[in-house]
Amino acid sequence: MNLLSRRVLLFVVGVIIAVLVIVAAANPALAQTLLPWETTSGISSEQFQERAIAYRDLSAKMQDGGTIRVIVRLNTDFIPEGKCANPFSVLSQRWSIKRVQEQVLNQISRFDATTIHRFQYIPVIALEVDNQALTDLIANPMVVSIREDAVIPVSLENSVPHIGGDQAWLEGFSGQGQAIAVLDTGVDGSHTFMADKVVSEACYSTTYAPYGSTSLCPDGINPGGDDSEVGPGSGINCDASIEGCDHGTHVAGIAAGHGGTFSGVAKDADIISIQIFSRFEGDQCTDYGFVSPCIFSYTSDLMKGMEHVYQLRDSFSIAAVNLSLGGSQYEAPCDDVEADMKSTIDNLRSVGIAVVVASGNSGRTNAISAPACISSAVSVASTDLFDNVSIFSNVASFLDFYAPGDFIYSSLPGGGYNYKSGTSMAAPHVAGAWAVLKSKAPGASVDD
């Protein structure tokens, strides 16, 4: 068979697969009947049924003639880089990831498809696609899964001695030589509580008209439509007039603030500030119970920020990443559903960086939010100063830690201080404690 004939055959097979997927999406119960066999493309009937449902759900959110942002996991082997046998294995894996990314992107290049981000270290790409490109991706055996690039809110809703931080200080361990990456709404580095602490900054924020979001990076949209910024000033707190934009400065203060009369947990640790939130307005806010305008983080922006932390691992001794945010809630570990995020967390964990995540503020007694529900994340629920579980805090049997989160006093943008409550306030206690422990044992792994 010559090359032209092979391409024609592959095209016909692809069309047949796409039609079957669309039919199955319209009636998922038919998927097993229509597709009871292993296809020559390597997609099983079970996978087809899953993809049919994914197509139905994603296409339903797509406006007529519009697009949707998706995160696509690709079919290639992955091992967290810190667990690879040698540098050659790392480079080989990166090359394999790049190759399959290029193959998938080439396949959809004839449709309306825009690359949001090609992740370097995990087999994932973030895309904006139209219905035709989505259909092609659904039918592509090089694709493992597709999910919406969903938006995630911040976890809204005198503690250091309570967790033994002051005792660690007396023993000479206060986070010195360590850094904590705060992926949040940005940090006011000019605050006296943050004096000389912010050592690296970045911003990953998105302007996307179909969802009504606008980038909150200091310089807005850069040439070429890339909303990201890296460098001094890029990780400053977002516009303080928007509810929630004081969140990151408060969180950073809990983790590593240093003051005259009181301090954060790791008072001598540095801060890496990465602003990952975007501005939304109208129904996008009120449908979630927020005042308009409001802020959410796209999943892809969160993952970009975590990838940036991984890139900084040789420039700073990074003890922990703090994520005081949360999305959907799960009653069991969510590794399969959140496989893309898990790969990102696993990469960081494999090089000794803990990813500390708030459990969420819905008051659930048997579930915690994503990404705290990922087994390799360090999940944290909130307690009051009497060690009672906070009424707002999510908890579950697979939760890792509890920490103070009720009425926590910390820094706010502009030089002030105030109280906040939430699992958002509990998580940085643990991130700070991680930095304190790493200042005593710099070579310790996350498992240690």
Side-chain angles (χ1 to χ4, degrees), residues 198-239:
V198 179
V199 294
S200 183
E201 299 179 68
C203 178
Y204 299 95
S205 185
T206 294
T207 297
Y208 183 53
Y211 287 9
S213 66
T214 306
S215 173
L216 287 171
C217 291
D219 293 334
I221 304 175
N222 292 333
D226 183 0
D227 298 344
S228 65
E229 296 177 28
V230 176
S234 60
I236 193 171
N237 58 282
C238 53
D239 185 350

Side-chain angles (χ1 to χ4, degrees), residues 199-285:
V199 294
S200 183
E201 299 179 68
C203 178
Y204 299 95
S205 185
T206 294
T207 297
Y208 183 53
Y211 287 9
S213 66
T214 306
S215 173
L216 287 171
C217 291
D219 293 334
I221 304 175
N222 292 333
D226 183 0
D227 298 344
S228 65
E229 296 177 28
V230 176
S234 60
I236 193 171
N237 58 282
C238 53
D239 185 350
S241 67
I242 304 173
E243 184 177 3
C245 277
D246 58 354
H247 190 266
T249 302
H250 198 273
V251 165
I254 296 168
H258 196 160
T261 57
F262 71 99
S263 294
V265 178
K267 64 178 182 176
D268 291 323
D270 293 323
I271 291 291
I272 296 170
S273 175
I274 303 178
Q275 202 292 105
I276 57 168
F277 282 83
S278 303
R279 175 187 173 123
F280 290 77
E281 296 184 359
D283 291 347
Q284 294 281 5
C285 300

